[in-house]
Amino acid sequence: MLKSKDLLGLRNTSAEEISLILDTAGKFKRALAKGEKNFNMLKGKTLVTLFYENSTRTRCSFELAGKYLGATEINIAASSSSVQKGETLIDTGKTLQALKTDFIAIRHPMGGAPHLLAKTVGCSVLNGGDGMNEHPTQALLDMLSIKEEFGALKGLKVAILGDIKHSRVAKSNLFGLSKMGAEVWVYAPKTLIPAGFEDLGAHVASSREQCVEGAQAVMGLRIQLERQSGGLFPSLSEYARFYGVNDAVMKYADKNAIVVHPGPVNRGVELTPALIDGGTSRIEDQVTSGLAVRMAALKLLSEYREANL
Ligand code: CP
């Protein structure tokens, strides 16, 4: 059983809890592959997706996860809600609680916003990405796709190249993969590597080749221009030339290596179109893993609520 009413990040989630979520998600993924979509585990429960930032994959998969599990589900886009009239996150949370919401999946530009909401309401809060902090369900779905490819995460090398500094995905993957016994290597222009990243357990490579050498999974991360104030690298084309992943770089990876990316992808910047669409790409599989992981998280949090609240 999970140990908390909320899923806020992987920094404070144990290896046992991660294994439980991945095993449960694996079962959902196999059922989805057979065409099953009617699970009644959350019948009578309500899920609200509360997104203060744009999203395709995370919001849609949380919504569908709730629907496939039998929950009542609604979406609130901050851009068309009373947030625009000055309502605070806490007041919005209290409003959703008064509407008898059981689960809130939130994405917010400020790191820590889901944690504040979780302290304020009795609903279970699922972090769908908070600023540059964490994106736990993304890392869990990455881990599920990688684990399914290689049978286990322990002993694997995962290379992450791209905008590490602004990436909540990199941090959640670092926490999660390290706990599951995988090695995480990163490479980017020095301006896109956060200070102290090695202290969190990452290996910071001194070249693209060193980062990818022998890796079983190579992850590209989007350059997040919306979070940059500018001047961190000369141009996107130079970034692609010196830091992007292409066929020549992949020759250094393990012979069975797969290419993963959380999406959305800037084609031709962090990964070449040939890699994105090629046989080693697991980018579409990751999206299905995302649905299964979010179903698993909702089911397991529901079980926690039944037992503890
Ligand atoms: N990977 C991810 O979070 O994608 P979205 O921004 O489309 O949700």
Side-chain angles (χ1 to χ4, degrees):
M1 175 153 319
L2 297 182
K3 295 182 194 129
S4 159
K5 79 171 176 69
D6 310 296
L7 179 58
L8 300 175
L10 297 190
R11 185 192 282 262
N12 295 318
T13 302
S14 67
E16 292 72 30
E17 290 175 289
I18 292 172
S19 287
L20 176 62
I21 297 170
L22 295 182
D23 290 349
T24 308
K27 287 179 197 153
F28 276 127
K29 201 170 163 193
R30 286 189 288 281
L32 288 164
K34 288 187 207 151
E36 292 175 36
K37 289 184 192 171
N38 289 318
F39 307 85
N40 273 330
M41 297 160 186
L42 261 59
K43 201 166 168 49
K45 310 282 186 217
T46 304
L47 164 68
V48 173
T49 52
L50 174 63
F51 274 53
Y52 292 77
E53 273 187 1
N54 295 340
S55 167
T56 299
R57 279 149 284 266
T58 310
R59 185 168 68 77
C60 291
S61 57
F62 264 123
E63 286 183 35
L64 289 174
K67 287 191 164 99
Y68 292 169
L69 289 170
T72 300
E73 193 286 325
I74 60 161
N75 168 56
I76 301 176
S79 56
S80 58
S81 74
S82 289
V83 169
Q84 296 305 321
K85 300 177 193 164
E87 186 168 67
T88 66
L89 174 61
I90 288 177
D91 287 339
T92 300
K94 285 182 176 165
T95 302
L96 296 180
Q97 179 166 258
L99 291 168
K100 308 301 176 197
T101 300
D102 300 285
F103 306 96
I104 302 174
I106 178 174
R107 171 169 288 186
H108 200 284
M110 298 301 296
H115 306 67
L116 176 66
L117 183 63
K119 273 189 204 148
T120 309
V121 295
C123 321
S124 287
V125 176
L126 298 101
N127 182 359
D130 61 326
M132 301 192 300
N133 182 38
E134 280 221 48
H135 193 348
T137 54
Q138 177 65 48
L140 287 162
L141 76 86
D142 296 336
M143 285 192 274
L144 179 59
S145 284
I146 298 169
K147 181 174 176 248
E148 285 183 336
E149 194 73 30
F150 297 101
L153 294 166
K154 193 173 168 63
L156 298 184
K157 174 176 175 178
V158 178
I160 307 180
L161 298 93
D163 186 351
I164 313 293
K165 180 171 181 168
H166 301 95
S167 176
R168 50 201 180 203
V169 178
K171 287 182 197 77
S172 286
N173 263 300
L174 175 58
F175 296 136
L177 285 163
S178 304
K179 283 179 188 177
M180 300 309 288
E183 249 183 33
V184 176
W185 284 72
V186 298
Y187 183 63
K190 281 195 170 43
T191 48
L192 293 182
I193 301 278
F197 211 55
E198 276 169 317
D199 300 337
L200 296 177
H203 299 264
V204 179
S206 51
S207 70
R208 202 166 32 173
E209 292 72 21
Q210 185 193 25
C211 187
V212 169
E213 177 90 57
Q216 282 78 26
V218 177
M219 180 183 295
L221 288 182
R222 189 172 65 85
I223 300 298
Q224 300 191 37
L225 294 172
E226 74 276 21
R227 295 191 208 280
Q228 298 181 11
S229 49
L232 297 178
F233 53 90
S235 67
L236 284 178
S237 62
E238 276 174 300
Y239 176 88
R241 191 163 157 219
F242 295 109
Y243 297 93
V245 182
N246 53 34
D247 282 334
V249 173
M250 285 303 291
K251 290 208 178 354
Y252 289 85
D254 184 273
K255 65 177 176 14
N256 297 314
I258 57 169
V259 173
V260 289
H261 192 298
V265 185
N266 289 316
R267 283 180 169 262
V269 180
E270 55 266 15
L271 298 176
T272 57
L275 280 178
I276 294 165
D277 301 321
T280 59
S281 171
R282 295 294 176 272
I283 295 172
E284 282 184 33
D285 180 73
Q286 287 174 269
V287 178
T288 309
S289 291
L291 175 59
V293 155
R294 288 162 185 134
M295 289 172 75
L298 287 166
K299 174 188 183 280
L300 293 168
L301 288 176
S302 178
E303 287 171 2
Y304 176 91
R305 296 178 69 77
E306 301 267 313
N308 296 286
L309 303 180

